Amino acid sequence: MNEFLSNRQGEPLIRVTRTGGVERWRLNETMPLEATPYQLMSLYLGSILMSSLDQTVVRDGLMDMFADLEETIPLAQRALLKNYQKKFYTTGFGSRSYEEVDEHIDVVLRGLLNQFKLELFYRSQKGERQYLIQPYTLVMHRDALYLNAWVENYREIRTFRVDNILTARLTKDYFDYPTDYSPESFYERSFGVFKGDEANQITVTIEFPEILYDYVANRSWIANQEISPVQDGKFLMKVVVSNLFEIFHWVMSIGSEARVIEPGELIEMVKGEAHKILDGYGNYSR
């Protein structure tokens, strides 16, 4: 029991004492959960950044903890919490809603925590399929949830979009969490969550005007990104990726202020998309 259960301080839940050859078990004493107003506001800020998970077990659990901690704030400091709902806000721009797949998220969380295999019925561009998986990591990317899991049929780790899960069932089949797996290594050459062939090492160099330096250089896009100093009003970003899918769409979202230097394949992808955009407007004139 102590191998899997602990109190709030991470100590064994059951304390065993032996006196005169008699063994006694009792619950380990726990300290009451406490928080400062500053810690409580940090928790609330985290909750609103997860606004897309509203009405799901994830955010409900977070808000339950918030309510428990709020009760521990001394009356003398309660004034600091006045109007806290107005002091933090998220626009929710482009966010997804996960309320309808709350049951699936609950099953995924139980599989992650208990290390039980899951049976998924999943919808992808290739159709609907059944999978037996070992859930490894729940990933938040651009306000969307993804699940990294070992797929037994394919003997490899794949990424599933949570809102594309049609049904999820928790099995009682336990699996050992791999010690050599880490999400950081898994996404080392991914410009987002989409992975290509791990043998691929595609070097991408993009030129930007100085005005975009803060937007590009002061954000983390991929672990291996390299940013050159600004020279003559321009700077370069160099990354190594395993596929071009997401970085292509990122370049297109920036538009003409992002100029691909290499590779030639990405240059042709951008040029082809630009021609499609122009063709879509035809002979349009104001």
Side-chain angles (χ1 to χ4, degrees):
M1 293 175 66
N2 280 340
E3 184 177 353
F4 294 100
L5 301 176
S6 61
N7 63 20
R8 288 172 175 173
Q9 283 68 49
E11 302 166 338
L13 186 64
I14 306 298
R15 176 170 294 178
V16 181
T17 60
R18 295 178 179 87
T19 305
V22 177
E23 182 175 277
R24 292 182 173 86
W25 293 13
R26 66 181 177 86
L27 291 176
N28 212 351
E29 296 178 0
T30 60
M31 297 293 290
L33 196 61
E34 297 179 352
T36 65
Y38 185 85
Q39 290 172 325
L40 198 62
M41 290 303 93
S42 297
L43 184 64
Y44 183 72
L45 177 59
S47 77
I48 67 168
L49 293 177
M50 300 171 65
S51 59
S52 61
L53 298 178
D54 194 26
Q55 303 300 316
T56 70
V57 291
V58 176
R59 195 162 188 269
D60 287 349
L62 194 60
M63 296 313 295
D64 286 345
M65 179 178 287
F66 182 90
D68 290 342
L69 289 172
E70 190 173 12
E71 294 296 321
T72 71
I73 302 297
L75 290 177
Q77 297 180 332
R78 290 288 176 91
L80 297 176
L81 302 180
K82 187 178 181 180
N83 296 320
Y84 70 82
Q85 299 97 331
K86 299 179 182 180
K87 296 178 180 180
F88 305 92
Y89 181 72
T90 177
T91 64
F93 181 75
S95 65
R96 301 174 186 265
S97 174
Y98 286 90
E99 183 177 354
E100 293 184 0
V101 294
D102 183 35
E103 291 184 7
H104 302 161
I105 296 175
D106 181 53
V107 171
V108 168
L109 288 177
R110 293 179 187 276
L112 284 166
L113 292 175
N114 296 292
Q115 292 176 215
F116 287 147
K117 298 178 183 179
L118 303 178
E119 289 182 353
L120 298 186
F121 190 49
Y122 185 77
R123 180 184 65 246
S124 68
Q125 293 179 344
K126 297 180 180 179
E128 299 176 356
R129 296 183 183 179
Q130 195 87 23
Y131 296 92
L132 179 64
I133 66 167
Q134 299 176 13
Y136 284 176
T137 308
L138 194 61
V139 181
M140 177 70 81
H141 173 61
R142 293 189 176 182
D143 217 20
L145 277 179
Y146 298 85
L147 175 65
N148 287 353
W150 175 264
V151 182
E152 302 210 340
N153 288 348
Y154 301 114
R155 309 299 299 172
E156 66 180 13
I157 301 173
R158 293 199 174 185
T159 301
F160 298 87
R161 215 175 79 183
V162 170
D163 54 336
N164 277 355
I165 297 175
L166 301 177
T167 62
R169 188 181 77 85
L170 184 70
T171 75
K172 294 299 182 182
D173 193 0
Y174 179 83
F175 69 91
D176 291 317
Y177 201 89
T179 57
D180 59 347
Y181 160 81
S182 74
E184 293 86 1
S185 297
F186 184 75
Y187 288 120
E188 188 176 12
R189 293 201 303 273
S190 294
F191 201 84
V193 294
F194 293 96
K195 285 178 62 66
D197 187 340
E198 291 193 7
N200 288 344
Q201 293 197 44
I202 308 170
T203 300
V204 177
T205 305
I206 307 169
E207 182 184 77
F208 299 94
E210 183 178 2
I211 193 173
L212 288 182
Y213 189 85
D214 180 66
Y215 173 73
V216 175
N218 293 330
R219 300 189 185 209
S220 176
W221 305 100
I222 187 172
N224 60 60
Q225 68 188 43
E226 297 179 10
I227 309 294
S228 72
V230 175
Q231 290 185 346
D232 299 325
K234 300 181 185 299
F235 68 95
L236 298 176
M237 175 185 187
K238 180 179 287 187
V239 301
V240 178
V241 298
S242 59
N243 75 92
L244 297 174
F245 177 79
E246 282 193 273
I247 198 165
F248 160 70
H249 287 281
W250 183 67
V251 167
M252 294 304 302
S253 70
I254 297 175
S256 61
E257 292 185 316
R259 188 171 75 91
V260 178
I261 306 299
E262 61 173 337
E265 181 183 356
L266 182 56
I267 294 173
E268 292 304 315
M269 290 170 67
V270 172
K271 288 170 65 176
E273 189 68 15
H275 286 305
K276 289 179 184 178
I277 293 172
L278 290 173
D279 292 343
Y281 285 94
N283 297 320
Y284 172 79
S285 60
R286 299 181 67 177

